[in-house]
Amino acid sequence: MATIVEIHVPLTPAADLEPGVYPFPWIERVEDFLIEIEEEGTAETYDEGEEFGGAYVFFLAGADEEALLSVASRVATFDGVPTGAFAMITDSQAPSMGMGRRIDLPTA
């Protein structure tokens, strides 16, 4: 059973975008960062990100809880990432997404 950290980021459109421009450019930036983290061996992406309950959720695994929360906190502080992000600490046996212990991001 693997520890999973879900990073829930509110699906808030980026400010001051031109009409017709994709409103969530921060999603791609976070995905690129998570690929870098995986290549470094710091953590692994557990699954593809997806929309859930008004948020976009990214999944991390492959490290201890402290390391995963550190990565999640870095995501929450990126320029353009909407405020209000939080993490859910769960595991690979959870019956569904969004279940577990909630941690506001960024952590201290």
Side-chain angles (χ1 to χ4, degrees):
M1 175 170 53
T3 298
I4 309 288
V5 168
E6 301 172 0
I7 307 169
H8 293 246
V9 181
L11 274 173
T12 305
D16 303 323
L17 292 176
E18 297 290 324
V21 173
Y22 182 63
F24 311 111
W26 50 267
I27 291 174
E28 186 174 317
R29 181 162 185 232
V30 170
E31 288 174 340
D32 290 346
F33 169 72
L34 295 178
I35 289 169
E36 291 173 19
I37 290 298
E38 192 162 4
E39 289 173 351
E40 291 172 1
T42 303
E44 300 171 359
T45 331
Y46 183 74
D47 203 352
E48 295 289 320
E50 62 183 90
E51 290 183 33
F52 177 76
Y56 196 85
V57 182
F58 304 92
F59 303 92
L60 295 174
D64 64 25
E65 183 177 307
E66 183 178 339
L68 296 174
L69 286 174
S70 175
V71 172
S73 289
R74 289 175 63 189
V75 166
T77 61
F78 281 168
D79 286 339
V81 170
T83 59
F86 65 91
M88 293 296 288
I89 310 299
T90 187
D91 62 59
S92 56
Q93 300 299 311
S96 67
M97 187 177 1
M99 301 182 76
R101 183 169 39 101
R102 180 183 167 132
I103 307 287
D104 290 331
L105 296 174
T107 59

